[in-house]
Amino acid sequence: MSNRVAVSGATGRLGSLVCEVVEEHPDFELVARLSSTSAPDAGADAEILIDVTHPDVSEDIVSRALARGQRVIVGTSGWSSERLAVLERRVSDADGGAIVVPNFSLGSVLGTALARAAAPYFDAIEIIEAHHPQKVDSPSGTAVRTAELVAEARAGRPVDAPFAEQPARGELVAGIPVHSLRLAGVVAKQEVRFGGPGEVLTVTHDTHSNDAYRAGIRAALEFVTTASGLTVGLDRALGLEGLGRANNSHPAEVSA
């Protein structure tokens, strides 16, 4: 029997792709394409709600879905650590399951994991992210999540970010400067740059088309059917939760 799915934000660029992936999957049935003009109770008969809307409305949409007993996939940007903490309590109170996905691209998930692994070994770290001009939020949810995980991997050791108070130095996220570009001709790109004595390591991920998100959307769909509590990111859905989680202690000195 197919799992019934409603997609909120179905008319957008990502929402249209999500609808395609749901329709192509033999275990899921698309029962509602929701937009900003849809009634608040539209799609209430679905078992799963996928939210790919706007940061300003995402929280209310997700809260209503949880209250109805629906499982939820959130692909909308703008879910900060503070908002995620509130969402975690709501999911727990509803005894439900939800996954928040900052980026559905497999390469992006792997790139963030690699950055997390490198984080304890460099004190100078900056993130540059670029997206298409229609992206309404900055920094991107992917960059925010990457910065938070990189800071976590450093176990409280501050990043060396000189002149961080200057606006041109980017927005500080978890103590890490994040620089956002919005350019025609770009789909999505993220660079995490690590600086050390005599060297720079750059972890770069480029998205060239929305096809990069298909596999991640399928993985989130399959994962959420049995998920319990709140999951952030695709790591568990892809079996990658251990990748890049290095020992958080300060690395030993290494002589070249």
Side-chain angles (χ1 to χ4, degrees):
M1 187 173 179
S2 296
N3 296 280
R4 299 187 304 277
V5 179
V7 178
S8 188
T11 59
R13 126 186 359 223
L14 180 56
S16 299
L17 178 64
V18 169
C19 290
E20 286 183 24
V21 173
V22 173
E23 289 180 318
E24 292 167 357
H25 200 298
D27 297 333
F28 297 87
E29 177 187 2
L30 182 64
V31 297
R33 296 172 182 260
L34 309 179
S35 68
S36 58
T37 60
S38 299
D41 60 348
D45 60 336
E47 297 162 299
I48 299 169
L49 178 114
I50 304 177
D51 169 58
V52 282
T53 55
H54 188 282
D56 292 343
V57 299
S58 178
E59 193 168 2
D60 287 342
I61 291 170
V62 171
S63 295
R64 287 197 299 268
L66 290 170
R68 291 193 292 257
Q70 293 173 313
R71 294 180 177 274
V72 179
I73 298 172
V74 183
T76 302
S77 284
W79 284 83
S80 63
S81 56
E82 292 80 9
R83 292 181 72 183
L84 287 172
V86 173
L87 177 59
E88 185 171 24
R89 290 194 295 271
R90 287 176 177 164
V91 174
S92 177
D93 291 343
D95 194 24
I99 178 170
V100 176
V101 184
N103 197 311
F104 286 104
S105 160
L106 305 188
S108 176
V109 176
L110 288 164
T112 295
L114 293 171
R116 184 172 56 201
Y121 300 92
F122 295 87
D123 288 333
I125 307 171
E126 309 217 6
I127 297 173
I128 304 167
E129 59 95 355
H131 282 80
H132 54 86
Q134 288 74 42
K135 185 168 179 60
V136 297
D137 60 313
S138 61
S140 69
T142 303
V144 170
R145 181 63 177 163
T146 300
E148 290 173 346
L149 290 174
V150 163
E152 177 186 294
R154 293 178 59 76
R157 288 193 298 116
V159 168
D160 182 13
F163 309 110
E165 74 283 357
Q166 297 177 358
R169 292 287 290 112
E171 179 178 329
L172 284 179
V173 178
I176 297 168
V178 180
H179 311 267
S180 297
L181 310 178
R182 297 293 176 263
L183 296 171
V186 175
V187 176
K189 179 171 184 170
Q190 178 172 282
E191 297 181 19
V192 187
R193 299 189 182 182
F194 300 89
E199 63 180 346
V200 172
L201 170 67
T202 303
V203 178
T204 302
H205 175 256
D206 282 283
T207 302
H208 298 293
S209 81
N210 285 351
D211 285 338
Y213 306 133
R214 288 182 181 272
I217 295 169
R218 285 194 296 271
L221 273 169
E222 294 164 2
F223 177 81
V224 81
T225 58
T226 57
S228 177
L230 176 65
T231 301
V232 180
L234 282 175
D235 301 64
R236 283 179 58 197
L238 299 172
L240 300 174
E241 60 266 39
L243 181 62
R245 294 190 182 277
N247 189 322
N248 280 343
S249 61
H250 194 290
E253 293 294 330
V254 178
S255 57

